[in-house]
Amino acid sequence: KKIATILLSIVVFIAMTPMMAFADQAPQSNVAKIGTTEYASVQAAVDAVKTTAQTTITLEKDSTEAGVIVPENKNITFDLGNHTLTINKGVGSKGTETNGMQLLKGSNITIENGTVCSAQNPTVKNGEAGTFYILIQNYSNLKLNNVVADGQCCRDNGYVVSNNCGTTSFTNTTIKAPKTGQHAFDSCHFQTYAIPTVTVNDGCNIEGNIENTYGNISINGGSFTTSNATSMQCVLDSIATDKSAGIKLSSDVTGYV
């Protein structure tokens, strides 16, 4: 009986081995969709957009994946579906892949209903571990609606949303740049590109400094937490006529304004 039991166990193990191997090699489940067509990554969904027609890419679950590049002249809405997109590998020009997302000029892009953040120690330029300089590098016409852009794991002297072209608007959005040298966002005119305009609307919570370098910033509401006098003055100078915004100082700037 003992020999028969051993033989039976061996037969059962051999029979199960192919199934176990198949389970180990099972493909990763899809995370994004366009309509009913699913994709293994957000970038794969972007790459499937071949026209300029308005297209919605929906995130189906929390996802940790490489950065996202949207090429020129696309019309894409990223509906995060109240999920978190965590980026663990940088994108950008060769040798400077230190952006989480790169949104190129001429595109109309909306990001809504969820969180975009950096993983800890993502892969950046030349395959090295490090930190993102910019979480969202924007040259497009961009809208952030009901979004948390979280730069807590990004570089101390970097930017969470950097705007170098086009029009950008934030509505019901929180931008987190808690490190002293970080900027929540900027409006920075880049080379021959059109002068960028950034608009902050009601319901926004901007946690970090802001910067205007030959661009435009218009503040219609929201609350701001800054750590230096230059940023605080930028907020004050950018509040639109007949509008108001809350300002909180995270450090003592007495005598600097």
Side-chain angles (χ1 to χ4, degrees):
K1 288 184 178 180
K2 185 179 293 186
I3 294 173
T5 301
I6 293 172
L7 288 173
L8 180 60
S9 299
I10 292 172
V11 170
V12 170
F13 176 78
I14 292 173
M16 291 180 62
T17 298
M19 296 179 63
M20 294 168 62
F22 179 79
D24 289 342
Q25 297 171 9
Q28 181 181 359
S29 60
N30 294 320
V31 301
K33 66 180 181 179
I34 300 175
T36 59
T37 303
E38 295 186 318
Y39 300 90
S41 67
V42 173
Q43 186 64 63
V46 171
D47 293 342
V49 179
K50 304 300 183 183
T51 72
T52 59
Q54 200 285 324
T55 302
T56 297
I57 296 173
T58 303
L59 192 65
E60 298 185 277
K61 61 181 72 174
D62 291 351
S63 181
T64 298
E65 57 185 85
V68 177
I69 298 176
V70 178
E72 296 182 6
N73 303 316
K74 299 298 180 182
N75 190 359
I76 296 176
T77 294
F78 295 97
D79 184 351
L80 302 180
N82 296 315
H83 298 300
T84 297
L85 177 62
T86 302
I87 301 173
N88 63 8
K89 184 178 180 180
V91 294
S93 302
K94 186 176 181 179
T96 58
E97 296 90 349
T98 54
N99 304 327
M101 301 182 76
Q102 187 182 52
L103 314 177
L104 298 183
K105 65 184 181 70
S107 287
N108 298 303
I109 298 172
T110 298
I111 304 174
E112 60 187 16
N113 305 326
T115 298
V116 179
C117 65
S118 168
Q120 291 187 343
N121 302 315
T123 301
V124 290
K125 60 182 180 179
N126 301 319
E128 301 168 1
T131 53
F132 291 145
Y133 182 52
I134 299 170
L135 182 62
I136 302 175
Q137 173 66 78
N138 179 48
Y139 301 95
S140 70
N141 299 312
L142 173 65
K143 296 179 180 178
L144 296 188
N145 298 333
N146 192 32
V147 166
V148 176
D150 189 345
Q152 294 186 73
C153 291
C154 294
R155 195 171 300 179
D156 180 71
N157 64 339
Y159 300 79
V160 181
V161 186
S162 182
N163 304 283
N164 298 130
C165 183
T167 60
T168 300
S169 68
F170 305 134
T171 304
N172 296 323
T173 286
T174 295
I175 302 177
K176 296 182 179 181
K179 298 176 182 177
T180 302
Q182 280 183 325
H183 289 82
F185 72 85
D186 70 347
S187 180
C188 178
H189 186 211
F190 180 74
Q191 295 182 357
T192 60
Y193 288 177
I195 295 174
T197 296
V198 179
T199 301
V200 182
N201 297 309
D202 286 334
C204 289
N205 183 22
I206 310 301
E207 301 174 10
N209 297 316
I210 71 172
E211 182 180 77
N212 188 358
T213 309
Y214 307 111
N216 297 311
I217 298 175
S218 179
I219 295 173
N220 296 324
S223 62
F224 295 76
T225 301
T226 67
S227 64
N228 63 56
T230 300
S231 178
M232 185 178 71
Q233 190 63 57
C234 185
V235 174
L236 293 170
D237 292 342
S238 302
I239 297 174
T241 303
D242 299 326
K243 300 293 183 179
S244 62
I247 306 175
K248 179 181 177 181
L249 305 177
S250 61
S251 60
D252 185 1
V253 295
T254 303
Y256 290 92
V257 179

